[in-house]
Amino acid sequence: MTASPDPAEPAAPEPARPDPALRLLWRHVVAEDEQPRRGPRQRLSVDDVVDAAIAMADAEGLAGVSMRGLAQRLGLAPMSLYTYVPGRNELVALMVDQVLARRELPPLPDGLRARLETVARVHHAEALAHPWLLDVTGIRPWLGPGAADRYEWQLSAVEGVGLDDVEMDQTVALLVGFASSIAHAEHEKRRAERESGQSELAWWEANAEELGRVMSGREYPLAGRVGQAAGEAYQAASDPARELEFGLARIVDGVLALLATRS
């Protein structure tokens, strides 16, 4: 006699299945007869769909990319779009990988400092060109050919310098993370200027007198001195370009100092 399952016990999780996005990501290297086919012959390619989504994101931000809006842009019935990509998360993964794959990576220079700086600068430039890349969250880190090639190139910058494998990964993550933070600051500065219709310098000039009134009676000797010096140097409240140069130099200094202790 078979015992009935105990209703108090949680159901066993379903076995994991291969993600359908993987074959789409690697569609250019998967044999044609192995690629999934859905319905009648399609008039567009997956590349066409992804390129249109990238153009939407570049113009309107990632939040402006919807399956319905993309279908309208392509002249498709909304449900027809799902014959190309399973859903929006998969679409975003394809968009990211397509951007990475189409970036021509420069040869890495000879010096370690220059190689580390190049890794950060390439990512920074990409985030400036496609601001929506900084908003990609909540999707699994699918590994497509663009991401795989990029990671291999980044790791080659630190191969054989004296770091172990985990430290190599962490060094790349540190450089990319810092470059992303600077690009984010630059986009936020530009967004504030667009929304206010004023440059940072114009805003501060217009509000300096009022700030002096509301802050009267409170002393900020350090903030006042440093803020004035920075403002005069930047002609603004901040200067992300200078922050990139200063911060990147200090990160590379730290990596070189770590390696010097092991030589």
Side-chain angles (χ1 to χ4, degrees):
M1 180 176 180
T2 305
S4 300
D6 186 347
E9 293 183 3
E14 293 186 6
R17 298 177 181 176
D19 199 300
L22 285 174
R23 285 203 173 273
L24 280 172
L25 284 165
W26 292 88
R27 61 193 178 279
H28 295 299
V29 295
V30 173
E32 186 175 348
D33 58 356
E34 294 181 36
Q35 294 190 28
R37 297 180 181 274
R38 298 184 180 187
R41 183 177 179 83
Q42 298 167 316
R43 66 178 180 84
L44 299 173
S45 68
V46 174
D47 281 354
D48 294 332
V49 172
V50 177
D51 282 340
I54 291 171
M56 287 182 70
D58 286 344
E60 306 170 34
L62 191 62
V65 179
S66 67
M67 297 295 279
R68 180 174 293 275
L70 181 59
Q72 291 176 346
R73 184 185 183 100
L74 292 167
L76 298 172
M79 293 309 296
S80 298
L81 190 57
Y82 292 93
T83 65
Y84 294 90
V85 290
R88 188 177 184 275
N89 278 355
E90 291 82 1
L91 173 64
V92 173
L94 291 166
M95 291 163 61
V96 172
D97 205 75
Q98 193 132 302
V99 166
L100 296 179
R102 289 184 173 168
R103 172 83 183 208
E104 186 174 348
L105 297 172
L108 288 166
D110 292 334
L112 178 56
R113 177 178 289 275
R115 292 203 302 274
L116 296 177
E117 290 178 349
T118 300
V119 168
R121 293 186 195 283
V122 165
H123 185 80
H124 175 257
E126 206 156 54
L128 288 184
H130 303 283
W132 55 270
L133 288 171
L134 299 170
D135 297 326
V136 175
T137 59
I139 66 170
R140 293 187 182 278
W142 288 301
L143 193 63
D149 290 348
R150 176 64 55 87
Y151 188 48
E152 184 74 14
W153 176 81
Q154 291 167 334
L155 290 174
S156 68
V158 289
E159 170 68 351
V161 302
L163 300 172
D164 65 32
D165 287 351
V166 174
E167 289 170 336
M168 289 170 62
D169 177 80
Q170 291 173 335
T171 299
V172 168
L174 178 60
L175 293 166
V176 169
F178 174 70
S180 292
S181 70
I182 295 296
H184 178 75
E186 291 182 74
H187 288 306
E188 286 301 302
K189 179 179 178 179
R190 294 174 186 177
R191 181 184 61 79
E193 290 179 342
R194 285 196 307 271
E195 292 179 357
S196 67
Q198 291 180 310
S199 67
E200 274 197 351
L201 178 60
W203 188 94
W204 281 102
E205 289 175 342
N207 289 277
E209 186 175 342
E210 183 64 17
L211 280 170
R213 277 197 294 267
V214 298
M215 295 174 68
S216 64
R218 299 179 69 89
E219 296 296 328
Y220 298 98
L222 293 177
R225 187 189 81 222
V226 174
Q228 180 178 350
E232 291 174 355
Y234 304 155
Q235 290 296 292
S238 62
D239 188 339
R242 288 195 186 195
E243 293 166 12
L244 174 67
E245 298 305 320
F246 181 84
L248 183 53
R250 302 295 75 76
I251 289 172
V252 176
D253 287 344
V255 174
L256 295 178
L258 171 65
L259 295 174
T261 65
R262 300 177 179 180
S263 61

